[in-house]
Amino acid sequence: MITIHVNAKDASGTIEQIKNVIGGEITEKWGQHVLSVDNETAKGEIRVLNFDWGASLLEYDITFFDEVSLITDTSTYNPISFVYCLEGYCGHKFGHQEMTELKIMEQYQSVIISSKADGVNHGYLPAGIHLHINVIRLRRNQFMSKRLNKGEALNKQLYEVFLDTDHKNVFSYYGSYNLKMADLVSSIKKVTAEGMIRILQIEGLVYQILSMHIVQHNDEVQNKGPETSLLKRELNTIREYAGKIGKNIAKEFTLEEISNETGLTQAKLQEGFKLLYGMTVTEYIRNARLEVARDYIETTEMNISEVVYSIGFTSRSYFSKIFKEKYGISPSEFKNGKMDMAIAG
């Protein structure tokens, strides 16, 4: 087992201390620090991005070839951590607990952890499994002063964690599976913009992920969490098929066909799409087509009729009607507005 001791004052220092044990090289671009490793110990990246409102994003996108014990001294840096495992799993226990009390953070699970001051966190990272773990860390004092003047958004239990700026208490919450969060976490890696635009886009996604963690905690504490008979693998099947729809946007999908391909009943498909996306299967397909159509109008020279047929619609009038219902503007007005902006630029 590889043992890594961390006592850094911030997330950037954390990956520096990880590098000292597992090797690799750290590069910095547009404020993001990236540890890249490709050796006998590990292969992949660990990325850190800090924000001025007391938050940092730490992402593991890596495979370790031996088990890792990450022992973190919280006396100098003790944020609230919002953890989400997009791929793989990891473990955690507080320093005062026995090793048998290690709790596993499973794939797609929302987890919130806060430690005592002068305490120790024990993290566990498995060997031979690709890990994609998203960790949003918040410094309480800085976050409270800049982003949380009032506590209406938090229930009492979580608000007290934010107010515990002296770090007197431990707190842990292991929530239910949240596949909606998976799409947001996946989106971070897909950001292709550069410079300040890149940072702003990632920051916006971090806000959304953090909000989703908090809302889920509130709902589950109040017993308002999602109730479903679907298994995690069934929800994952639905999420994967939603991705297939996005990649084959012009294809005429039917509920019967999707049921046959996934092995899920039509009722389970409807339940899963409602749970994950807040839409029926038909609504999801229509919404996905509209989003692609908007991108085509905005980024290509295709005329409206070409856009309509390229996304699988046959009626331009129907397309114009539902486009305006969704975006509050007709496709032609949207296209002309884009052209006017290009001329003005």
Side-chain angles (χ1 to χ4, degrees):
M1 176 176 281
I2 302 167
T3 300
I4 304 173
H5 292 273
V6 175
N7 60 1
K9 296 180 180 179
D10 54 30
S12 300
T14 296
I15 65 166
E16 182 68 45
Q17 292 182 332
I18 293 174
K19 169 188 172 292
N20 292 339
V21 177
I22 69 171
E25 180 182 1
I26 294 177
T27 56
E28 187 274 331
K29 192 172 185 181
W30 303 313
Q32 185 176 51
H33 293 80
V34 180
L35 169 60
S36 301
V37 187
D38 188 358
N39 56 30
E40 70 282 356
T41 303
K43 182 174 183 178
E45 292 182 347
I46 302 175
R47 301 181 288 268
V48 167
L49 185 60
N50 298 305
F51 305 103
D52 64 2
W53 40 280
S56 64
L57 172 64
L58 172 64
E59 282 205 309
Y60 294 86
D61 190 2
I62 193 168
T63 301
F64 292 100
F65 302 130
D66 196 357
E67 293 179 314
V68 174
S69 174
L70 194 63
I71 302 174
T72 304
D73 179 348
T74 62
S75 58
T76 57
Y77 179 50
N78 186 20
I80 305 173
S81 295
F82 296 79
V83 186
Y84 186 80
C85 293
L86 180 65
E87 295 181 51
Y89 66 93
C90 58
H92 172 269
K93 80 177 189 71
F94 295 110
H96 62 276
Q97 294 175 313
E98 298 294 330
M99 203 61 197
T100 54
E101 297 180 84
L102 182 79
K103 292 200 69 171
I104 297 299
M105 305 178 196
E106 297 185 12
Q107 185 182 25
Y108 304 137
Q109 190 173 23
S110 168
V111 177
I112 306 172
I113 292 173
S114 172
S115 301
K116 280 186 177 182
D118 300 321
V120 174
N121 280 326
H122 291 265
Y124 169 77
L125 303 171
I129 296 175
H130 182 251
L131 305 175
H132 190 165
I133 303 171
N134 177 285
V135 186
I136 299 172
R137 293 173 162 182
L138 296 183
R139 292 181 184 268
R140 277 166 267 212
N141 282 314
Q142 195 173 352
F143 183 74
M144 290 287 286
S145 64
K146 291 204 170 189
R147 290 291 184 269
L148 194 62
N149 296 320
K150 297 181 181 179
E152 289 87 348
L154 305 176
N155 61 57
K156 185 171 185 256
Q157 185 182 21
L158 192 53
Y159 190 47
E160 287 175 354
V161 177
F162 278 85
L163 288 177
D164 181 22
T165 52
D166 293 328
H167 305 211
K168 293 180 179 178
N169 303 302
V170 299
F171 173 85
S172 65
Y173 155 77
Y174 287 71
S176 59
Y177 303 127
N178 188 329
L179 272 82
K180 291 182 183 179
M181 200 177 294
D183 292 330
L184 285 175
V185 171
S186 298
S187 296
I188 292 177
K189 198 173 179 180
K190 296 175 184 175
V191 173
T192 58
E194 299 182 351
M196 182 56 66
I197 300 301
R198 174 182 176 81
I199 303 304
L200 290 173
Q201 289 181 355
I202 293 176
E203 185 173 15
L205 290 168
V206 168
Y207 267 123
Q208 292 181 65
I209 295 166
L210 179 60
S211 298
M212 196 170 285
H213 276 291
I214 292 172
V215 168
Q216 179 175 339
H217 179 268
N218 288 351
D219 287 346
E220 294 189 352
V221 165
Q222 299 172 37
N223 296 317
K224 295 180 181 177
E227 295 183 5
T228 178
S229 61
L230 294 172
L231 302 174
K232 182 174 72 170
R233 63 173 175 78
E234 293 174 326
L235 289 170
N236 196 35
T237 296
I238 291 172
R239 177 173 174 264
E240 289 175 353
Y241 204 90
K244 180 178 179 178
I245 291 171
K247 293 176 181 177
N248 299 274
I249 204 66
K251 179 177 168 59
E252 195 61 47
F253 292 93
T254 67
L255 194 54
E256 182 178 5
E257 176 189 359
I258 299 173
S259 178
N260 290 335
E261 286 191 35
T262 61
L264 299 175
T265 66
Q266 294 186 22
K268 282 192 172 185
L269 286 171
Q270 296 289 25
E271 180 185 351
F273 270 86
K274 272 286 190 181
L275 180 66
L276 295 178
Y277 305 107
M279 307 175 194
T280 65
V281 175
T282 300
E283 289 168 342
Y284 180 87
I285 295 170
R286 183 176 62 197
N287 186 71
R289 285 176 166 177
L290 287 173
E291 290 186 354
V292 171
R294 181 192 59 187
D295 290 342
Y296 282 169
I297 295 172
E298 192 169 25
T299 62
T300 74
E301 298 303 316
M302 296 168 66
N303 62 43
I304 302 301
S305 294
E306 289 172 329
V307 169
V308 169
Y309 297 124
S310 70
I311 61 170
F313 284 128
T314 56
S315 170
R316 175 168 172 167
S317 60
Y318 172 70
F319 167 73
S320 297
K321 175 179 177 291
I322 61 174
F323 188 98
K324 187 166 186 176
E325 286 175 354
K326 179 173 175 61
Y327 298 113
I329 187 173
S330 72
S332 298
E333 291 169 334
F334 183 75
K335 185 175 182 65
N336 291 336
K338 181 205 74 165
M339 293 174 63
D340 291 343
M341 287 175 62
I343 292 171

